[in-house]
Amino acid sequence: MIKAVAVDVDGTITDGKRRLCCSAMESIRAAEECGIPVIIVTGNILPVTKTLSIFIGTSGGLVAENGGVIESSKGRMVLGDIRKCKEAYEFLKTKHPIEKVDFSDQRISEIAFYRTIPVNLIKDTLKDFDVRIYDTKFALHITDPAVDKGTSLVRVAGDMGILPEEILAVGDSENDLEFLKVAGLKVAVANAAPELKAIADYVTQKPYGDGVKEALERFLS
């Protein structure tokens, strides 16, 4: 039985231009009205994630910065060690021209920068550092490998009294792999990366927010 929904933001409930999809918001609110809390799981900073939660109307917890920061009924916690990320980023700057994304001063567990360099080159440059690199298709992220969206989702769900297998999870990119893997029902939207579709229980016919609506209507009605 599905007791909660976990959704990624960029490329999942937003379109290719990062605009929120009305179809996704409507289906999320419908789930909430049926008593199924929605958990936002994203690489965005916590202030953005919290704002989205308020404006969309979700009541589940929050997983921000790819699992590095969470908010649940037990409060807010920083789980990722940004010192590892800063060390790697400072080294990376000596090798390649890179620039942090907007509002980077508010990131407290990871570092995100614009996609001006191929991700495989970044991974190779930082292979000797204790960090993980994610490509969300909107930015590249240097994160603490000790945390990810999956481990943090399990923690938030536990604080809500919900088991991972009772969660329907929806995502689109490689940084969603971990949180889909822990969920009971794994959904990839039509525009999702091939590796995500490969582990999904269901791949939607429609992309972005329309895919989210398709999945929620199919499995929650």
Side-chain angles (χ1 to χ4, degrees), residues 67-109:
V69 186
I70 63 171
E71 180 178 284
S72 71
S73 56
K74 295 187 178 180
R76 297 172 184 169
M77 291 188 66
V78 179
L79 304 177
D81 185 355
I82 198 170
R83 293 173 297 180
K84 296 179 182 180
C85 307
K86 286 181 175 179
E87 182 182 1
Y89 182 77
E90 290 303 316
F91 176 78
L92 189 62
K93 283 199 305 182
T94 68
K95 303 296 182 181
H96 306 291
I98 51 175
E99 181 185 357
K100 290 181 181 179
V101 299
D102 287 345
F103 304 109
S104 286
D105 58 323
Q106 295 187 49
R107 287 192 181 268
I108 53 180
S109 73

Side-chain angles (χ1 to χ4, degrees), residues 116-130:
T116 55
I117 304 293
V119 64
N120 288 336
L121 180 58
I122 301 296
K123 289 179 178 180
D124 184 64
T125 304
L126 298 179
K127 63 182 184 298
D128 295 325
F129 288 82
D130 183 27

Side-chain angles (χ1 to χ4, degrees), residues 138-209:
F138 293 92
L140 297 174
H141 298 250
I142 303 175
T143 70
D144 180 355
V147 296
D148 56 51
K149 284 185 174 184
T151 56
S152 294
L153 175 60
V154 170
R155 189 160 185 164
V156 168
D159 289 347
M160 297 168 64
I162 294 172
L163 298 173
E165 54 264 36
E166 297 172 324
I167 298 174
L168 184 163
V170 192
D172 78 298
S173 63
E174 67 169 351
N175 67 325
D176 299 325
L177 279 168
E178 287 85 3
F179 95 89
L180 256 67
K181 284 179 179 178
V182 303
L185 183 56
K186 307 164 181 57
V187 176
V189 286
N191 57 288
E195 57 266 40
L196 207 68
K197 291 180 178 180
I199 68 161
D201 298 309
Y202 180 74
V203 178
T204 66
Q205 295 294 313
K206 298 177 180 179
Y208 306 113

Side-chain angles (χ1 to χ4, degrees), residues 33-91:
E33 288 169 3
C34 291
I36 299 175
V38 177
I39 305 164
I40 296 178
V41 185
T42 179
N44 284 290
I45 56 176
L46 185 62
V48 169
T49 310
K50 183 68 174 181
T51 301
L52 283 170
S53 174
I54 293 169
F55 288 165
I56 295 173
T58 64
S59 64
L62 307 175
V63 175
E65 297 191 22
N66 291 301
V69 186
I70 63 171
E71 180 178 284
S72 71
S73 56
K74 295 187 178 180
R76 297 172 184 169
M77 291 188 66
V78 179
L79 304 177
D81 185 355
I82 198 170
R83 293 173 297 180
K84 296 179 182 180
C85 307
K86 286 181 175 179
E87 182 182 1
Y89 182 77
E90 290 303 316
F91 176 78

